Amino acid sequence: MQITTAAWMSRCSLVNPGNAIKSCRSGPRRKRLMMLMWIMLSGSLCLMVDGQMKIPPETVQQWAVTFGKEIAALSNKYSGAKLLQKKYKDVEGVVKMEEVNGEELVKKFAEEMEEMLGRKMKSVKRLAEAAEDADLGHEYNETLEFDYFNSLLINTVDEEGNPVPLGGEFLLEENEHFNKLPVSTQQSNIQVPTNVYNQDPDIVNGVYMSEALNDVFIDNFQKDPTLTWQYFGSSTGFFRLYPGIQWIPDENGVVTFDCRNRNWYIQAATSPKDVIIVVDVSGSMKGLRLTIAKHTINTILDTLGENDFVNIIAYSDYVRYVEPCFKGMLVQADLDNREHFKLLVDELQVKGEGKVKKAMKESFKVLNEAAALGQGSLCNQAIMLITDGAMEDFKDVFEEFNWPERRVRVFTYLIGREMTFAENVKWIACNNKGYYTHVSTLADVQENVMEYLHVLSRPMVINHDHDIIWTEAYMDSVLFNTQAQSLLLMTSVAMPVFSKKEETLSHGILLGVVGTDVALRELMKLAPRYKLGIHGYAFLITNNGYILSHPELRPLYREGKKLKPKPNYNSVDLSEVEWEDTEEKLRTAMVKGETGTLSLDVRSSVDKGRRVIFLKNDYFYTVINETPFSLGIVLSRGYGEYIFTGNVSVDEGLHDLITPDLTLADEWTYCEIDIDPAHRKLTQLQAVVKYLNGKEKDLRCDIKLLEQTLFDAVVTAPMEAYWTALMLNSSGMDDGIETAFLGTRSGLQRFLKYSGIEKRVGKSFLTSTDKENMFTLDHFPVWYRRAAEYPAGQFLYYMPRQDTRAGRIVISSTAVTVTVGKKTTIAGAVGVQMTLELLESRFRAIAAQPNDTDCSSIEGVCPLRCDSFDIECYVIDNNGFVLISKQRNDAGRFFGETDGSVMTSLIQMGMFKRVSLFDYQAMCKINTHSVSSARPLLSSFYALASTFKWFISNLLLFLLEFNFCSFWHTEHFADAYAPKKKWNILQPCDTEYPSFIYEPSVKETNSIIKCGRCQKMFVVQQVPESNLLMLVVQGDCDCSRQFPPITLEPREVKYILWLLKCDRMRSQKIRRRPESCHSYHPQENANDCGGASFLRLSGPLLLLCLSCAALVS
């Protein structure tokens, strides 16, 4: 064995002298004395001498070439890639290649969406007309008795087996169209919140009147079978829903759903508004009053939407903004800002004397300035005054800022049981076209806050303007609770319902709101994936620039084992998803409702952000008429520019379509199976077959997609015989080859399982749960998208992510192309799934020179073996993820986590490039160190006092809340006082995370890393015809102290400077205001401005409450 001097020195400079002796005894006798001296001095000499072995690059290159040939042979043999490419090559003479016209495509998609949404609007109009006619013919009866179906009580019996009141038998059947929920398509039923008495005369009269909607619901559904939920939300609080369902209360047996809190109700009932909430935080507001005031603020915030603007001012001796960053301005009331305000409101403290005059002046100034500058909603303006009394002379404020026009309405909320200042507070509201309410308990808050919506709706009601509104994306709470994920994200179209009765015209009575939901997934099916290509997609945004639908929108996050909606899931801005549009040209044009095109160089990612790809995207966009939405589509150059079409006979295509190895993308729409109930249980493949063989001629199918599917079925049909022949030749099969598969642009997939389920490692691969490797509404399979990164015929290898639980498997895939003239497009991808053990065994056999190797011409370690204790060998992919390593746990990890020193060198040498990606939808843990440390340790006395105070205060709140007159309001008590654990809570944040990509121009490299006492050599060699790299690294030099691991962990973007954070929060992005505004009508009767409303406690209970209040304070 020939060993260079440097290598010999390295092997003899071990920390363990015993090992050194063992290593060096193999040397000549005449060197024994020298070696003994070396051992004695090794401890000190190691500090001065850098031991260095030499790894011969030519050996590593030979290994890489051999390994590349072997894995390419495996992949080609078992995938049949060459055969499939030949089959598509054979038909190039008969196919037609067309260039995709993005401008025409986006207009066509928009027209189809407009038609679909137009049908929903017609259904809602019919409901509104029917409800108004029914009310016109109904005479209110205070003593009316009507036994309706209450959705909470249906099919419920008492202890004696008799139906409970408002219950009764209500037939429910699972329905495919409603995501297999048990429903009744024959009738609607009624949901009433727990805090509303379900037999109140107003409720009973409203339910009886709205029975007329049943026939309209059914008729609408027959005319448009794609309709989902239809409903009428009454201003009195009940909710009529079709089809009827069994309503499930929460874990406390409470139904908190109130239709009047829903965005579709609020937007339809009122025009856009600017609201300034003015809250009294003087000393008199302590205790329960402040709690009620905070709950009132939060309830008002919940009634605002993204077309509204808001700010909150707190006052005592002086005026302050609860968010100093928003001083003197209005901010959009999107979900982010509303939740931000709620956190700040929760921290409010009382102190000083209440002086409302300054606060009112400041509020008027902000509203007047916004109107003058064209900011805010440019529609309704209102001030919400929350106080326990007003003692100042404030008349001159209104004379200066609001009279005589009274353009700003003032709503007042008198907090607490004290009525001394009731007249003053009421006078403010009545003289400024507002409404006064008295809020004495937490239970009063909900109903009293809702009154302002009815006042703001008066001009619209009197004018009888039926504005149709569309909501932003939201999650249906009923569907979410039942885990109906496919109908999770919705938008609603809604319309107000007014009283037509002459005697109530000037009062502008709003009866409620009718509406229907549109599942966004169903809407996006009108932009089929096959027309957009591998990396292409379609997306929708609102007039405010918020995402309605986008493949990168991630509305859910996991907390423990539960999936939950993110707090800001429906206020994700387009600029936060298409973040490469740094100048926001795309966003601005789409928000303005323009039609056009834009090109961007983008960093995109696949495999859940682990792998970056660089694309040149062409964006095409247009507005969807009669809605506030804009549609955009993306075509990626090199992937979506061309589409080819072939032509085969139906008989020939059907023959090759009906084979056991073939599936179609079931989330795509080959045929409409949702129109006829008889078709809803069909898969897309079954529907296609029935349509083509003439058994279901009434099916509406995408003819162009069917033609392409039949063509692909014929061209790919020989693959079944090829794969089957390999499988039957069991003696020639390599152990570890598990699945061969292919996919085409038409969504067609074929696959063959070479091994049985009991032997298969990748048991979940290409099963129904393996969404990432299947064609879905949002994306092509990962193996298809990754194959497109490399030239046709060159295989790409990768391990699936560990969280997919796919097992220790490797996926190998390559693209298949079609060329007509000078135009080339990807027809599909083909590949093979094998076990990692198969590749490891091949690698181990190659990466070990035998002992009789001729080392005469090799400079360095020879024979070189990867199983040596001082050698580490790896195979990594083009994104730096380990496939093969000595350490079993390294497989699938990022190489920088395994060896930070070598990865650092590869980045510095340009072999790998670090790419920054950003996630503006991330969730981060709340920093628990922000808790005040003013009292780090409590004395035992203080701890006891605190406990007693907590108990007494909660007892007080319980007595005030749970009184005999307001039994139905317990859910507010639970919501307001449920303990909040601030640790392990996630909140929305922005993160930056790295991705790494190999620079293919660097085929090989080697270097030496200095690591203090030792030096580490490594050699890197590209594995030919693949995306893999082979690394051989000196293993006896630990560099972890000098070079920490490089991880892919996201890093939260901290806005350290307050001004920087403030500027970001204050920024007002371009938005398109709703076209209609109803803020004034001369016939409005403003004299209806509210009155006192309070609950009476028994004498002893009141005395106990007052005593407790004194004790707590």
Side-chain angles (χ1 to χ4, degrees), residues 169-316:
E169 185 179 357
F170 193 84
L171 183 61
L172 299 172
E173 293 181 347
E174 281 193 5
N175 191 298
E176 294 284 333
H177 181 64
F178 294 94
N179 218 66
K180 297 184 179 179
L181 285 174
V183 301
S184 170
T185 56
Q186 300 305 310
Q187 57 188 325
S188 61
N189 58 10
I190 303 296
Q191 178 267 337
V192 183
T194 303
N195 65 320
V196 175
Y197 180 44
N198 58 24
Q199 296 196 48
D200 183 276
D202 288 345
I203 297 292
V204 175
N205 275 269
V207 171
Y208 180 77
M209 175 274 293
S210 64
E211 280 287 301
L213 296 180
N214 264 320
D215 292 339
V216 186
F217 286 142
I218 296 171
D219 186 53
N220 279 344
F221 192 43
Q222 290 174 346
K223 289 179 178 177
D224 181 8
T226 65
L227 277 172
T228 55
W229 308 102
Q230 302 176 69
Y231 40 81
F232 169 62
S234 168
S235 61
T236 59
F238 75 83
F239 181 57
R240 181 177 287 278
L241 179 66
Y242 174 88
I245 65 169
Q246 175 84 53
W247 204 280
I248 307 298
D250 63 19
E251 61 272 13
N252 299 314
V254 174
V255 177
T256 57
F257 178 92
D258 190 325
C259 63
R260 297 168 298 177
N261 283 340
R262 305 295 279 187
N263 218 351
W264 51 265
Y265 184 98
I266 294 165
Q267 287 188 39
T270 64
S271 294
K273 48 197 170 292
D274 300 332
V275 174
I276 293 188
I277 302 171
V278 180
V279 58
D280 183 353
V281 289
S282 63
S284 62
M285 286 285 290
K286 63 183 176 181
L288 179 62
R289 291 182 181 181
L290 183 61
T291 301
I292 295 173
K294 290 179 179 180
H295 189 39
T296 302
I297 295 172
N298 290 340
T299 305
I300 293 172
L301 288 172
D302 286 337
T303 66
L304 304 178
E306 61 184 37
N307 288 319
D308 303 320
F309 288 77
V310 68
N311 207 335
I312 303 178
I313 292 175
Y315 74 91
S316 54

Side-chain angles (χ1 to χ4, degrees), residues 657 662-668 670 684-686 688-689 706 709 746-749 774-775:
L657 198 65
L662 186 145
T663 63
L664 296 181
D666 220 41
E667 292 186 14
W668 291 15
Y670 298 81
Q684 284 293 330
L685 179 56
Q686 291 169 340
V688 168
V689 172
L706 291 192
T709 303
S746 63
L748 177 147
Q749 276 187 261
M774 307 292 282
F775 289 93

Side-chain angles (χ1 to χ4, degrees), residues 726-919:
L726 286 174
M727 183 177 66
L728 294 176
N729 183 18
S730 57
S731 59
M733 282 287 296
D734 288 277
D735 290 336
I737 300 293
E738 296 193 339
T739 308
F741 56 86
L742 66 84
T744 69
R745 183 166 175 165
S746 63
L748 177 147
Q749 276 187 261
R750 290 185 187 271
F751 60 89
L752 182 96
K753 304 288 186 181
Y754 282 124
S755 56
I757 185 67
E758 67 284 349
K759 294 182 179 180
R760 221 163 32 240
V761 174
K763 289 181 171 61
S764 64
F765 183 65
L766 293 184
T767 62
S768 58
T769 60
D770 186 20
K771 294 293 185 183
E772 290 191 17
N773 288 307
M774 307 292 282
F775 289 93
T776 69
L777 196 61
D778 290 333
H779 56 70
F780 278 52
V782 172
W783 48 264
Y784 195 121
R785 285 178 284 161
R786 297 220 60 208
E789 296 176 35
Y790 279 70
Q794 180 173 325
F795 281 89
L796 179 140
Y797 304 83
Y798 69 98
M799 278 190 72
R801 297 189 327 278
Q802 292 179 0
D803 60 2
T804 61
R805 299 180 181 178
R808 288 170 54 82
I809 65 171
V810 174
I811 295 173
S812 165
S813 62
T814 186
V816 176
T817 59
V818 169
T819 301
V820 177
K822 296 182 178 180
K823 299 175 182 178
T824 298
T825 190
I826 296 174
V830 62
V832 62
Q833 174 258 311
M834 62 190 86
T835 63
L836 179 60
E837 187 180 355
L838 172 61
L839 288 192
E840 288 174 334
S841 63
R842 294 298 178 99
F843 177 75
R844 285 194 296 267
I846 293 168
Q849 289 181 311
N851 291 331
D852 59 354
T853 300
D854 181 6
C855 300
S856 58
S857 60
I858 298 176
E859 183 181 353
V861 179
C862 183
L864 182 66
R865 300 179 61 89
C866 280
D867 54 8
S868 298
F869 75 95
D870 53 358
I871 295 290
E872 296 290 345
C873 296
Y874 305 91
V875 174
I876 66 174
D877 67 21
N878 61 314
N879 296 112
F881 291 96
V882 177
L883 270 72
I884 297 175
S885 169
K886 280 184 184 178
Q887 306 302 319
R888 180 180 175 88
N889 292 337
D890 285 346
R893 294 177 64 198
F894 179 61
F895 179 65
E897 298 174 2
T898 301
D899 193 328
S901 62
V902 177
M903 193 67 204
T904 299
S905 297
L906 294 179
I907 296 169
Q908 292 174 346
M909 297 165 70
M911 197 165 201
F912 273 88
K913 178 182 178 182
R914 184 188 191 279
V915 181
S916 290
L917 299 172
F918 296 91
D919 183 4

